[in-house]
């Protein structure tokens, strides 16, 4: 999870844009990044995309 937190923090604007391109249902509110609340962010994205936590982590790692 630490690697994911570092990637989210360092590249969030780029990742956010790619997420919105791939998953049109995601809104800016869904993708609001707050340091220390990465699990909450992943949970919101899970609800909108239907992907598992592991699938999302792998997807983020590939970006």
């Amino acid at each position: 999870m630490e690697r994911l937190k570092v990637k989210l923090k360092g590249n969030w604007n780029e990742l956010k844009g790619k997420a919105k391109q791939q998953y049109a249902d995601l809104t800016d509110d869904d993708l609001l990044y707050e340091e220390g609340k990465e699990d909450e962010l992943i949970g919101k994205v899970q609800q909108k995309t239907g992907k598992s936590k592991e699938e999302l982590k792998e997807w983020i790692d590939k970006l």
Side-chain angles (χ1 to χ4, degrees):
M1 187 68 171
E2 278 305 310
R3 190 173 85 225
L4 177 67
K5 289 179 182 181
V6 169
K7 186 152 186 169
L8 288 174
K9 184 177 179 181
N11 302 308
W12 184 239
N13 285 332
E14 181 182 349
L15 294 172
K16 180 177 161 179
K18 289 182 179 184
K20 287 175 77 175
Q21 286 176 357
Q22 189 162 352
Y23 300 104
D25 289 347
L26 293 173
T27 66
D28 285 335
D29 286 342
D30 296 327
L31 297 171
L32 181 62
Y33 174 76
E34 294 181 54
E35 192 170 346
K37 294 189 176 185
E38 291 85 359
D39 286 332
E40 187 177 315
L41 171 65
I42 294 292
K44 287 180 186 180
V45 175
Q46 276 183 276
Q47 288 177 343
K48 287 282 184 129
T49 64
K51 301 286 184 187
S52 72
K53 193 174 200 174
E54 273 308 309
E55 287 174 312
L56 290 173
K57 286 179 183 180
E58 287 175 20
W59 179 76
I60 291 168
D61 277 343
K62 291 177 184 177
L63 294 177

